[in-house]
Amino acid sequence: MYDKLIFELSVPGRIGYTLPKAKVPSYELPEELKRNNEPILPEVSEIDVVRHYTNLSLKNYGVDQGFYPLGSCTMKYNPKIHEQLVNNDSFTQLHPLQPASTVQGALKVYDELSYWLSELTGMAKFSFNGFAGAHGELIGLMIMKEYHLRRGDTKRTKVIVPSSAHGTNPASSSVVGFEVVEIPTNSEGCVDIDALKQVLTDEIAGIMLTNPNTLGLYEKDILLISKLLHDNGSLLYYDGANLNALLGVVRPGDMGFDIVHLNLHKTFSTPHGGGGPGSGPVGVREDLVDLLPNPQVIKASDGTYQLFDNPKSIGRVSGFYGNFLVVLKAYMYVLTLGQENVGNIAKLSVLNANYIKEALREHYYLPIDSICMHEVVFDGLISKAVTTLDVAKRLLDYGYHPPTIYFPLLFHQSLMIEPTEGESKETLDAFIETMKKIAEEALENPELLKTAPHNTVVRRLDEVQAARKPLIKYRDTLND
Ligand SMILES: *Cc1c(COP(=O)(O)O)cnc(C)c1O
């Protein structure tokens, strides 16, 4: 029924395992529960499988292989000791329906990480129910909406989002039912205060901001902005997906933010994507704590931890209480750093980004020339000999994951580089040399860049089709 035509490594009869004899009596399944056709599976030996997946993995690229300066994504190293420690039956075998008395340690991790994140952000309490940054935004905005509704303030149907914002911000606002009011960015790359004042009406529920903003620049007027919003009865939401630039030095709560989300899979060193699911914890100021999603972890007066369904909460946003192993990795990260080291993350990530900015400014155009925070945005090559896409494709030939391109949308040729704090001077220098070499190649042999990449498994893909019609099955015919 199936043969080499479907799986080219498959050989009929070849197996890669033997199952142990069952220790329980066999049970004959009723006919109606049995499948009609044999499953379509490859027949391969263990070494075939190992080589197949190892070779596939080598076609991928990760931070364990090389520099990964993807702006607004904070692709920092994920310490291997975290993986080792969480791979312990005491953690992996926990069940979310176990009685709280049997998972005191896990609940303590949630409670203590909530404390540390609150210390780092100036919030009162965090919830770990969110599975991603965008999920955190959704939760935070639901809290914002409830806050106004419970005060009987039903007019507040709009949320302000700056034009430079991450795409998830307007998307989350829309999902929660808010109308998005976009405000422009001024010539210094920051919120245009006059434009902000013009849209501040009694219909504004709040503003979503990230600081440093997506241009990698610090919003210097943040205290003025928060005063304007609060005087207007509106709340401030902080998109803290990338907190690297501030961690241990400046706190969103002290800037006047009321609701914060963080991305543990960016700032707190837990893996993105394939390495494990994400976590977008949401923190709030004291008077919003009751609104956090259920269940909430609380420490009872007798010192035990409990899961509590708060009747004042916005309700449930996930099946259980978030991704425990991800939270555990972030907890280890915070404890490993300690209070004495956490501030170095901000200092070194900002230093690394500025080092790259200064080194590349003769070749790449700096649309806003000021000290950047944890990332730097160029507007393509000064020479304009080739596009940012060509530069990014050529970087693949040199074995680098390219920076973020064509985001933020403010510039036509955006090239957004975020080196993170963990990279050495040698790594940064090698990347800088490569970027300079590409700038020279663009002048000498632009065709070479326009047809790049040359050394990769696949060449230029149709990115629209790849996103709209992803081929995620080995064969379209494998529907079984
Ligand atoms: C990554 C990011 C998000 C979204 O986080 P996800 O986990 O991908 O949903 C939101 N805002 C900013 C600024 C980000 O960089």
Side-chain angles (χ1 to χ4, degrees), residues 10 69 72 101 103 156 158 164 193 221 227 242 268 279 302 313 319 327 331 343 422:
S10 184
S72 197
S101 63
V103 290
R156 298 194 185 258
K158 297 179 181 172
S164 64
I193 300 290
D221 292 327
K227 182 168 185 329
N242 318 99
F268 291 88
S279 178
D302 64 358
S313 157
V327 171
Y331 177 75

Side-chain angles (χ1 to χ4, degrees), residues 71-74 131-137 164-169 172 208-210 212-214 239-242 261-266 272 278-280 374-375 407 416 418:
S72 197
C73 288
T74 316
F131 289 115
H135 197 190
E137 289 174 27
S164 64
H166 194 271
T168 49
N169 291 183
S172 306
M208 291 186 89
L209 280 181
T210 174
N213 61 32
T214 48
D239 178 340
N242 318 99
H261 94 260
L262 305 173
N263 277 23
L264 298 188
H265 49 289
K266 288 178 181 170
H272 295 56
S279 178
H374 61 297
E375 57 197 357
F407 176 80
M416 185 191 215
E418 179 180 3

Side-chain angles (χ1 to χ4, degrees), residues 117-384:
L117 296 184
S118 300
E119 283 290 297
L120 287 166
T121 56
M123 293 291 119
K125 184 167 178 165
F126 271 81
S127 156
F128 295 93
N129 287 286
F131 289 115
H135 197 190
E137 289 174 27
L138 186 79
I139 296 165
L141 289 164
M142 286 163 76
I143 292 173
M144 184 187 283
K145 193 174 186 178
E146 277 301 308
Y147 164 79
H148 291 303
L149 288 179
R150 289 189 193 178
R151 287 162 54 245
D153 195 348
T154 52
K155 285 190 304 299
R156 298 194 185 258
T157 54
K158 297 179 181 172
V159 164
I160 303 171
V161 178
S163 56
S164 64
H166 194 271
T168 49
N169 291 183
S172 306
S173 305
S174 300
V175 172
V176 177
F178 284 123
E179 192 183 316
V180 176
V181 180
E182 190 178 298
I183 49 163
T185 299
N186 66 20
S187 59
E188 288 169 7
C190 293
V191 169
D192 185 327
I193 300 290
D194 289 332
L196 175 65
K197 284 181 183 160
Q198 277 172 24
V199 298
L200 274 182
T201 65
D202 59 3
E203 290 181 347
I204 298 295
I207 190 170
M208 291 186 89
L209 280 181
T210 174
N211 191 17
N213 61 32
T214 48
L215 296 174
L217 302 173
Y218 194 82
E219 294 283 353
K220 292 183 210 65
D221 292 327
I222 188 60
L223 292 178
L224 173 60
I225 294 172
S226 66
K227 182 168 185 329
L228 287 171
L229 266 291
H230 284 152
D231 286 352
N232 191 53
S234 317
L235 298 185
L236 281 91
Y237 181 93
Y238 184 78
D239 178 340
N242 318 99
L243 194 67
N244 244 18
L246 307 188
L247 202 60
V249 177
V250 182
R251 310 192 310 168
D254 299 335
M255 298 176 203
F257 285 95
D258 309 293
I259 308 169
V260 167
H261 94 260
L262 305 173
N263 277 23
L264 298 188
H265 49 289
K266 288 178 181 170
T267 309
F268 291 88
S269 207
T270 70
H272 295 56
S279 178
V282 176
V284 292
R285 69 179 198 206
E286 193 70 50
D287 64 317
L288 301 175
V289 166
D290 277 340
L291 289 169
L292 285 172
N294 280 334
Q296 300 179 356
V297 174
I298 51 164
K299 192 172 183 181
S301 51
D302 64 358
T304 61
Y305 298 93
Q306 283 162 20
L307 277 171
F308 166 61
D309 269 341
N310 190 328
K312 295 184 188 151
S313 157
I314 57 162
R316 283 201 180 230
V317 294
S318 49
F320 296 105
Y321 194 59
N323 280 320
F324 174 60
L325 296 183
V326 180
V327 171
L328 187 57
K329 286 177 200 176
Y331 177 75
M332 290 175 198
Y333 183 62
V334 170
L335 289 189
T336 310
L337 287 168
Q339 204 169 1
E340 63 278 27
N341 289 316
V342 75
N344 286 335
I345 293 180
K347 290 173 197 160
L348 292 173
S349 64
V350 170
L351 180 65
N352 281 356
N354 280 282
Y355 184 72
I356 290 178
K357 172 169 70 75
E358 292 308 313
L360 293 181
R361 64 187 306 142
E362 280 167 26
H363 294 83
Y364 295 84
Y365 180 63
L366 265 182
I368 294 168
D369 192 357
S370 63
I371 291 179
C372 64
M373 294 287 113
H374 61 297
E375 57 197 357
V376 53
V377 180
F378 291 101
D379 188 7
L381 280 165
I382 291 176
S383 71
K384 302 281 175 218

